[in-house]
Amino acid sequence: MEETEKADYPSIPDTRDPIYLENGQADLKGTQKSELFARECGVGSDKSPSNSGHETLLGDETYPEGGLRAWLVVLGSWCGLLASLGLMNSIATLQTYIATDQLSDYDEGTIGWIFSLYTALCFLCGVYVGPLFDRYGPKWLIGPGGVGIVASIMLLSICTEYWHFMLSWGILNGIATSLLFTPCLTAIGHFFRERRGFASGLASTGGGLGGVAFPLIMQSLFDKVGWGWAIRILGFVCLLLFAFANILVRKRLPPAKNASPHPDFRIMREKPFLLLTIGVFFLEFGLFIPLAYISSYALANGFSEKFAFQILPILNAASVIGRALPGWWADKIGPFNTNMISLCVTIFACYVVWLPFGHTTPGLVIFALMFGFSTGNNISITPVCVGRLCHTQHYGRYYATCYTVVSIAVLLSLPVAGSIVKATNGDYWSLILFTGLTQLIAVVAMYASKVASVGWSPWANF
């Protein structure tokens, strides 16, 4: 078990941050929380009674904001996310292939449950992964997670029946991915605060690049070596990436005193966090629909099979830029503001581009570029939004709690989407309207969370 390092600098309380407190103080205003923390907690001190049951933070820390070790953690996170989120961003290619081959006798809604369960477990199992990361660090999570994902990919290469796909991909890969997802993102918060948006965005570009490379690799190999070896080659690539992630990803800060590896849903009583969780719930509900159905949409509207497989890499290529650039911008104007702007772009893309012009090649390509760019920002900056509402030593717990609730959204999104398409006799207009509506609800909830934290001003940097 690795030892955590303490900061080499004097700890100076930062009263700008809203929630540096003991559990049970959720009803205090942000400034009250900061003042209380600064007053009661000295550097590395613990003023609470030993039998109080509260988790008292060790005090404010300074952050390296760079340096070799910090950027190696970002590189390791990039490798882990390239493999894990790259696979997640490639589900449209996998779903379209098996829907026309191994599982051609099943409707899209039924097949969608495989990938819906997979994405749900990626987030749901994080309810324990986050607290375990806070308590013990990433080593004992990333290693088993990488082994599980590679085993899942190898098993996927020999699947022929529905239950094969459900067990190997839906369940095994979903659980294994959850072991990597949270540590790779939250470890960055131990090294960056002022530049956390940029560093997180840079690491999350790995998932976008994987979403570009993996579909193109699979499309090329399907014709040359067939399904089985195409998937196995992908597995070997992921194995190499996970090895780098396991070596490089580290945590820096010690756990909060008396920190427990068990989840604590009492933090949902904090109004800003509750509203943010609602916003992320609807954001993720709509986000996975185009990722899974854009290739099927293209085929249904008369585009060639080649173009149908290529539109997903186009979307993910835009996502790479959307993860990196807005991450830098989020450090300037605030992660909540950046996320809300991106959600407005997503709504515009759905209602003004995809709905009226999606049946044309320029319309579908422009939609893919806009949706990929905006949702790429949302994916990379949402963890930073969570970090604004908690202490870094509780980052994993808050992040995991949020995405445990969100797992319900991703579990339902693809089957619901398939049922909506089926209800309109294979026409996708209703699905487009529904996708835009989820993003509209998300932006309202995120703005409400911001209001609960810093007031009504839309110009507040938050």
Side-chain angles (χ1 to χ4, degrees):
M1 195 85 56
E2 65 177 288
E3 295 182 359
T4 52
E5 294 183 8
K6 294 184 179 180
D8 296 326
Y9 311 98
S11 298
I12 302 173
D14 184 356
T15 56
R16 295 174 298 174
D17 296 324
I19 304 179
Y20 283 27
L21 71 163
E22 294 184 357
N23 286 349
Q25 298 170 352
D27 294 329
L28 296 178
K29 298 293 184 182
T31 54
Q32 291 175 305
K33 294 172 182 177
S34 300
E35 291 168 1
L36 180 62
F37 182 84
R39 185 172 67 251
E40 293 189 357
C41 297
V43 178
S45 66
D46 179 9
K47 299 290 187 180
S48 65
S50 59
N51 61 350
S52 68
H54 289 298
E55 290 182 13
T56 304
L57 305 175
L58 299 180
D60 276 344
E61 305 86 9
T62 55
Y63 294 79
E65 302 294 347
L68 179 61
R69 187 180 179 199
W71 289 116
L72 285 176
V73 170
V74 173
L75 176 60
S77 297
W78 183 88
C79 291
L81 295 175
L82 173 60
S84 58
L85 291 191
L87 292 172
M88 185 180 292
N89 289 332
S90 304
I91 58 177
T93 299
L94 295 171
Q95 180 168 335
T96 301
Y97 186 96
I98 66 174
T100 57
D101 194 274
Q102 296 99 321
L103 302 183
S104 57
D105 294 334
Y106 293 82
D107 61 63
E108 286 198 13
T110 303
I111 297 172
W113 277 108
I114 298 171
F115 299 96
S116 229
L117 180 62
Y118 155 69
T119 52
L121 288 175
C122 289
F123 300 130
L124 177 62
C125 296
V127 70
Y128 266 97
V129 173
L132 286 171
F133 169 83
D134 289 337
R135 185 70 182 88
Y136 301 114
K139 271 296 184 184
W140 302 102
L141 298 171
I142 293 179
V147 171
I149 292 176
V150 173
S152 168
I153 297 172
M154 296 306 177
L155 290 172
L156 180 69
S157 70
I158 58 174
C159 289
T160 56
E161 302 292 337
Y162 182 85
W163 65 272
H164 295 169
F165 289 97
M166 183 62 79
L167 288 176
S168 66
W169 188 270
I171 296 177
L172 177 57
N173 203 332
I175 294 173
T177 299
S178 72
L179 297 177
L180 281 122
F181 191 57
T182 300
C184 285
L185 287 171
T186 54
I188 295 171
H190 282 241
F191 294 85
F192 297 89
R193 183 164 186 83
E194 296 299 327
R195 304 174 71 188
R196 186 177 293 173
F198 175 70
S200 298
L202 198 61
S204 66
T205 60
L209 285 173
V212 174
F214 290 169
L216 294 176
I217 290 172
M218 286 187 284
Q219 182 189 6
S220 174
L221 292 177
F222 285 155
D223 295 332
K224 296 178 180 177
V225 297
W227 164 268
W229 271 107
I231 299 300
R232 289 180 204 117
I233 291 171
L234 193 63
F236 288 122
V237 172
C238 290
L239 179 62
L240 179 63
L241 291 168
F242 290 140
F244 281 110
N246 196 42
I247 293 170
L248 298 176
V249 176
R250 295 284 187 274
K251 64 177 291 189
R252 182 180 68 93
L253 302 173
K257 188 176 178 62
N258 301 325
S260 167
H262 303 292
D264 184 2
F265 283 96
R266 290 177 297 176
I267 61 178
M268 298 297 293
R269 292 182 295 184
E270 298 172 21
K271 185 182 292 185
F273 181 71
L274 174 62
L275 291 169
L276 174 63
T277 301
I278 293 171
V280 180
F281 180 95
F282 284 99
L283 186 159
E284 297 285 351
F285 202 118
L287 185 150
F288 281 99
I289 292 174
L291 284 178
Y293 281 93
I294 192 167
S295 295
S296 300
Y297 172 87
L299 289 175
N301 281 271
F303 292 97
S304 67
E305 182 176 314
K306 181 179 180 180
F307 178 80
F309 281 112
Q310 289 174 342
I311 193 65
L312 181 63
I314 292 173
L315 187 154
N316 285 320
S319 177
V320 174
I321 302 173
R323 293 166 195 246
L325 293 182
W328 173 83
W329 188 240
D331 293 331
K332 305 296 182 182
I333 67 172
F336 275 77
N337 293 333
T338 306
N339 248 8
M340 289 187 290
I341 292 171
S342 293
L343 281 166
C344 291
V345 173
T346 304
I347 296 166
F348 181 90
C350 288
Y351 289 152
V352 182
V353 181
W354 193 13
L355 184 61
F357 305 112
H359 62 283
T360 67
T361 300
L364 190 57
V365 170
I366 292 173
F367 165 75
L369 292 172
M370 292 183 68
F371 185 87
F373 180 85
S374 58
T375 56
N377 170 84
N378 297 138
I379 290 170
S380 65
I381 298 303
T382 296
V384 185
C385 293
V386 175
R388 275 294 180 100
L389 302 180
C390 68
H391 195 281
T392 301
Q393 290 161 298
H394 283 166
Y395 192 13
R397 183 185 302 273
Y398 275 69
Y399 180 84
T401 302
C402 173
Y403 274 90
T404 297
V405 177
V406 169
S407 67
I408 300 171
V410 297
L411 175 64
L412 298 176
S413 62
L414 300 189
V416 167
S419 298
I420 290 174
V421 173
K422 186 176 180 180
T424 50
N425 299 316
D427 202 335
Y428 283 76
W429 64 266
S430 56
L431 186 62
I432 299 171
L433 291 175
F434 179 76
T435 302
L437 179 62
T438 61
Q439 306 304 287
L440 182 61
I441 297 173
V443 74
V444 171
M446 284 198 174
Y447 182 66
S449 176
K450 177 184 174 183
V451 168
S453 300
V454 296
W456 288 96
S457 173
W459 313 116
N461 187 323
F462 189 72

